[in-house]
Amino acid sequence: RVVDARELEGLEPFVVTGRTFIPDKTLSNPNPFSKTRSFAGDNRQSYQANTTAYRTEQKVRVDFVNNKATTISNRANGTIGYDKNGNVSASSESTKAGPTPTYTPGTMKDSSTTVNMQVDASNKLVTGAPAINYDVNITISDQGNGNFNYNISGTSDGFPAYEFFITNEATGDSYLIHGSNPAATGDTPRALFPPMENTINGSGSSKDLKPVDEVKF
C-alpha cells in the first residue's frame, strides 16, 4: 500500500542495540584494604547478539511503518564482589544504564532516524568509582526488503568492550556495526576516568555485512 507516496510494503522494524561488557571472568579491586578483593566480569571473549552477560545494555525498537521508536532496554547490571576465597562478599542492584535514548521523529516519514544512546554507569560497590561512558549516534535508513543503511558516530571510554548492532526484527538477523576490545587497544580500567578516549565513526549497508550472532575477538 502507498501512503503519502511512500511504499510501506517491505519495511521492517529494527532493533538498535548498544552494549558494554567486561571480557574477563574477574577484575581485581584496586583497594587493598577492602574485604572485596575482586569483581565479577562478564567472562566472554566474543561479541554476542543473544546474551545477558553485559555491564550495560540499551535497546531501541525503530518502527518506520508507525513512525516511532521505543526504548525496550536501558539497563546496567548489578555488580558482584568476591572475597579472597572467591566467596560473594557484596552485590549491588541493577540500575539504569543512562538517560533514556532519544530519536529524531521528524525524519521517520522518510524511513530514516537517528538514535542517540548515552551510558553513565559506575560500580556501585566502590565509592567514587569512575563510570562506563559512551555517547553515540546511530542513524538507520530503511532501504526496504529488510535492508538498511547506517551511520554510527560518537565517543566512548577505552574500557570495557563495546558492541553495537542492528537486528531485523522480522528475520532475527543481527548485524554488528561497531565493536571494540580493550585487549586489542591495551586499555585498562583506568580508561574509565574522563575524558572518553575512543572516537567511533563508521557507515555502511546491511547488504555488505554478514548477519552474525557471535564474532570472536
Side-chain angles (χ1 to χ4, degrees), residues 157-177:
D157 287 329
F159 185 92
Y162 296 80
E163 58 190 1
F164 293 88
F165 56 92
I166 296 174
T167 303
N168 181 321
E169 192 176 75
T171 65
D173 289 337
S174 293
Y175 301 84
L176 183 68
I177 62 172

Side-chain angles (χ1 to χ4, degrees), residues 122 200 213:
S122 61
I200 299 171
D213 291 330

Side-chain angles (χ1 to χ4, degrees), residues 97-177:
T100 301
T102 62
Y103 73 103
T104 52
T107 61
M108 292 286 282
K109 66 182 184 301
D110 299 317
S111 300
S112 179
T113 194
T114 298
V115 177
N116 175 256
M117 293 178 165
Q118 298 179 43
V119 153
D120 186 13
S122 61
N123 183 344
K124 303 303 182 185
L125 298 182
V126 179
T127 302
I132 297 172
N133 290 111
Y134 67 67
D135 186 348
V136 170
N137 289 309
I138 300 172
T139 300
I140 178 170
S141 301
D142 195 328
Q143 301 301 297
N145 297 319
N147 296 308
F148 61 87
N149 293 337
Y150 71 90
N151 179 275
I152 179 170
S153 62
T155 54
S156 74
D157 287 329
F159 185 92
Y162 296 80
E163 58 190 1
F164 293 88
F165 56 92
I166 296 174
T167 303
N168 181 321
E169 192 176 75
T171 65
D173 289 337
S174 293
Y175 301 84
L176 183 68
I177 62 172

